[in-house]
Amino acid sequence: MNKLIPILVVVIIILGIIAFLEFDKFQQNTSLTKSTNIYALFPGRNHSFNIVANYSGNYADALVIVNSSTNATLMASPFLWNIGYALGNVNMTFNNNYLHVAINLSQINKISLNVVDGYPGLMYGQELWWPFEYRTAQLQSLYLPMIVSHLSNFYSILNYSVYLINGSIDDFSYDIWLSQNPNITSLQYGDFEIMIWMYWTENLSHVPYFIYVGNMTIPTLINGKIQNLSWEVYVLPRTGSANGWTGVYFLSPLKERKAEFGVPIAYILKNMGQFIENAGMNIYNPNTYYLDAIQVGMEFSDNHGTAIMGYYLYSWRIWILS
């Protein structure tokens, strides 16, 4: 019997460690629901309607979506910014339960080669530049523009799925805009575009001018559970020209085609300075930059002139952490 006592002690210690780890996971995964204010940005209280866009000039049209529980609004745009000519259309169908973006285009003639065709999606916040040129009605606890360091910690959570028939989905993502002057009407060097890619296929390591600057560990909400994931980070010092804005790209290691996917946007913005410095740039300061707007959408490209694909967005929620 005395010989069994040390074995029993070891077993009890091991079981205790396992129980502690599981309890810690439970606390981590339930902490959001215990200490958050939850706001639904989408779906809203609209009647069903469509936005149909083609190459002929109405690609930048945007409509307001009024939310039922918060009275915040979103802007919607098919945003076919790089298509000079095409047959077919992009149809954004809104109903009470979801948004369906259906891309059905052929004979696409791009304005600029080697970049995406467009980014159909939604915008929350203030963008006084093309195409939105608008400020949405907003939550009191996330009233943009706001200095980054003043942001409450919050998760932005999307329930979505993407599908592909022909062409390529470059990314399903957030497109987030930062500036030092929230009243600007055009973007230039000194402004930042932050893209957070939840699903992606484009390999930035092979794209000229993109600089890999390391991996950021981000507590990511996937289907109800928080996982500490290691996201690749790339910086594009200047977009398009010597005076172009700076792009910072966060690439999820999971590449989820269908998920409830949450990211702590304020956490990312407050902690990305070192990664920008790794690209040889020392211009970012969360105490002087404003978060202007958050977009959600899908960058897509055609296959020899044809693009048939789309996505469903079932919900967009903001969880403010207390």
Side-chain angles (χ1 to χ4, degrees):
M1 180 66 182
N2 290 337
K3 293 180 180 179
L4 293 177
I5 291 176
I7 297 174
L8 289 173
V9 170
V10 171
V11 170
I12 291 170
I13 291 173
I14 292 173
L15 290 175
I17 292 172
I18 293 172
F20 173 79
L21 292 174
E22 291 301 315
F23 180 72
D24 184 63
K25 287 181 183 178
F26 173 79
Q27 281 191 314
Q28 187 181 47
N29 291 332
T30 58
S31 61
L32 285 178
T33 56
K34 286 183 176 180
S35 60
T36 58
N37 293 313
I38 303 173
Y39 303 95
L41 292 181
F42 182 83
R45 60 170 175 243
N46 305 84
H47 297 295
S48 297
F49 65 93
N50 287 16
I51 304 173
V52 180
N54 55 39
Y55 80 94
S56 63
N58 61 342
Y59 50 80
D61 286 351
L63 297 179
V64 177
I65 306 164
V66 181
N67 180 267
S68 59
S69 60
T70 64
N71 290 324
T73 60
L74 302 172
M75 295 294 285
S77 175
F79 201 22
L80 308 181
W81 63 271
N82 194 34
I83 294 181
Y85 173 85
L87 299 179
N89 58 58
V90 173
N91 194 335
M92 302 180 72
T93 301
F94 295 82
N95 66 28
N96 293 328
N97 299 312
Y98 59 83
L99 160 65
H100 179 203
V101 175
I103 300 164
N104 189 353
L105 297 169
S106 63
Q107 299 185 33
I108 294 173
N109 183 11
K110 288 187 175 185
I111 297 171
S112 299
L113 299 177
N114 302 319
V115 290
V116 301
D117 294 351
Y119 186 73
L122 306 174
M123 185 274 285
Y124 172 89
Q126 175 176 291
E127 289 188 23
L128 300 183
W129 54 89
W130 181 81
F132 292 108
E133 300 177 349
Y134 190 80
R135 182 177 187 174
T136 67
Q138 299 174 47
L139 307 172
Q140 287 296 322
S141 51
L142 187 59
Y143 200 77
L144 307 182
M146 184 183 294
I147 290 287
V148 169
S149 61
H150 296 171
L151 290 168
S152 299
N153 290 322
F154 70 94
Y155 273 78
S156 179
I157 302 171
L158 304 175
N159 190 342
Y160 70 90
S161 63
V162 302
Y163 65 90
L164 175 66
I165 298 173
N166 198 349
S168 63
I169 298 172
D170 294 77
D171 55 81
F172 182 80
S173 60
Y174 291 97
D175 199 13
I176 298 169
W177 297 94
L178 308 179
S179 70
Q180 291 180 293
N181 175 6
N183 296 315
I184 58 173
T185 57
S186 62
L187 299 164
Q188 60 185 355
Y189 184 73
D191 302 318
F192 282 91
E193 177 183 18
I194 314 301
M195 296 204 77
I196 301 173
W197 291 3
M198 293 157 285
Y199 173 76
W200 53 277
T201 60
E202 186 172 4
N203 188 347
L204 292 184
S205 65
H206 294 162
V207 179
Y209 309 113
F210 281 81
I211 303 170
Y212 169 71
V213 291
N215 281 44
M216 177 187 280
T217 299
I218 300 175
T220 309
L221 185 70
I222 304 292
N223 298 324
K225 295 184 178 181
I226 295 178
Q227 303 179 36
N228 287 318
L229 300 181
S230 181
W231 294 57
E232 293 181 3
V233 187
Y234 289 82
V235 171
L236 179 61
R238 289 171 173 81
T239 300
S241 69
N243 197 39
W245 65 86
T246 297
V248 185
Y249 297 77
F250 294 85
L251 280 59
S252 166
L254 297 184
K255 301 183 183 181
E256 294 283 356
R257 279 180 171 263
K258 179 180 181 180
E260 180 190 55
F261 201 118
V263 292
I265 289 178
Y267 170 87
I268 293 171
L269 300 181
K270 292 175 183 179
N271 291 282
M272 69 180 185
Q274 182 59 56
F275 295 90
I276 296 171
E277 290 181 11
N278 290 347
M281 305 176 66
N282 191 24
I283 62 173
Y284 179 69
N285 185 339
N287 295 313
T288 60
Y289 272 86
Y290 289 85
L291 168 58
D292 293 314
I294 303 170
Q295 293 176 234
V296 170
M298 185 179 79
E299 289 189 302
F300 71 95
S301 297
D302 60 275
N303 175 27
H304 301 293
T306 299
I308 305 173
M309 67 195 79
Y311 68 86
Y312 289 88
L313 180 65
Y314 304 103
S315 65
W316 181 5
R317 291 172 293 157
I318 300 294
W319 289 16
I320 307 292
L321 305 184
S322 60

